Amino acid sequence: MKKYVCDVCGYVYDPAVGDPDSGIEPGTAFEDIADDWVCPICGVGKDDFSPVEE
């Protein structure tokens, strides 16, 4: 599963970790997160994230 980075603040969503503080379980793909989820650091929406090139 791909990691995604916030274009605004640089937060990296890692599907292996998830976002437990927001109720996103480890193993959850970015595409499977609800559309109303926001960056836990700066609060922007999923539209402001880009895939991490590895």
Side-chain angles (χ1 to χ4, degrees):
M1 287 185 281
K2 261 188 190 263
K3 295 179 183 177
Y4 282 75
V5 62
C6 178
D7 299 329
V8 176
C9 73
Y11 167 80
V12 176
Y13 175 77
D14 182 348
V17 176
D19 180 14
D21 293 341
S22 297
I24 309 298
E25 295 292 323
T28 304
F30 187 79
E31 295 83 358
D32 294 335
I33 299 173
D35 289 337
D36 62 354
W37 177 81
V38 295
C39 176
I41 304 299
C42 70
V44 298
K46 286 178 68 178
D47 291 344
D48 290 309
F49 279 74
S50 299
V52 172
E53 300 299 325
E54 296 186 21

